[in-house]
Amino acid sequence: MPSVLGVDVGGTKTAVGPVNEEGTRLAAPLVEPTRTRDRRAFLGGLLSTLRRAMFEFAEHDPMAVGVACAGNIDSETGVVFSARHLPLADFPLASYLEEALRLPVYVDNDVNAAICAEVVSGVAQGLAEVVMLTLGTGVGGGLWLGGRLYRGASGGAGELGHMVVRAGGLPCACGGHGCLEVYASGRALVRYAATRAGDPVSDPQGVLAGLQEAGRLTGPEVTRLAAQGYPGALEAVGELSRWLGVGLINITDIFDPEMIVVGGGVAEAGELLLEPARELVRRHALPPGRDRVRIESARLGNEAGLVGAALEAWRRAG
Ligand SMILES: [Zn+2]
């Protein structure tokens, strides 16, 4: 049976896996670090990951490639206009990969891909008004409005990570200040944990300080410690959750969605992250939207972008 390789190119890692026409993952994905030093290193790394995946998943007969990556992308041509965490500005990624791999390649924004996957086969199955936020290296957004993907006039709609939640706040990778991304991304989670490292109450066993010293204080580590109930990690997730809540209030009031899907690596913190944010929405967003909106974890988890990119490649290649 043929498959499509779904590829999720993130700011820190790239995942590739075979997906069938119904959006079912046929094998655990191959995950390798994304090389972001410069464009040459990035493309060399991506091609080697893709070639390894084509070899590893050869039994699934890959016949096209669907790539999801963060950034402003023309999904028709596969040209990346801008990508804040990847050295890809103004680069024709789809045609470059097609030439190298000799397979049809389609490229779309990662959150657009993820929201399509969640609507087709995930937590938002069959819904018409859905907003997605992904909390990863950065914060991405996607809009599924009136039963279809909303791309805006120039394809750049849904940059929810760059809504300003604090006027004059911390500088953001986009050049602005006080964006949600600065307060609700994986990097923010690490920052919140780092400020608590060595504190006698928040870091009683010195776990955060030890990780920080070893250069291993990462988002997944903080999430894992929070799940174990470690005080400083719980506080860090709580601080992030409050900022997430501010973003969700804005989204609820603007779009009145049936569901807001929260995905990305930070969302692995699950209810520890979502429940306080839901409570803020219930208290501060406007009725009736606040009473109706469901705020849920992405069901396809970290693989939503991969599955959505593959589904889009199936649709277009088929
Ligand atoms: Zn920004």
Side-chain angles (χ1 to χ4, degrees), residues 101-185:
L101 300 171
R102 301 182 183 283
L103 283 178
V105 178
Y106 306 92
V107 180
D108 205 346
N109 171 273
D110 58 346
V111 190
N112 284 347
I115 196 170
C116 289
E118 291 292 346
V119 170
V120 169
S121 62
V123 68
Q125 202 167 12
L127 298 184
E129 312 291 343
V130 182
V131 176
M132 183 160 188
L133 258 190
T134 55
L135 315 179
T137 310
V139 172
L143 304 171
W144 181 267
L145 304 175
R148 63 191 194 91
L149 200 58
Y150 180 83
R151 293 183 186 272
S154 53
E159 286 287 355
L160 301 171
H162 300 282
M163 75 167 88
V164 176
V165 292
R166 180 177 228 168
L170 294 171
C172 178
C174 73
H177 285 78
C179 299
L180 180 63
E181 172 165 307
V182 188
Y183 298 99
S185 62

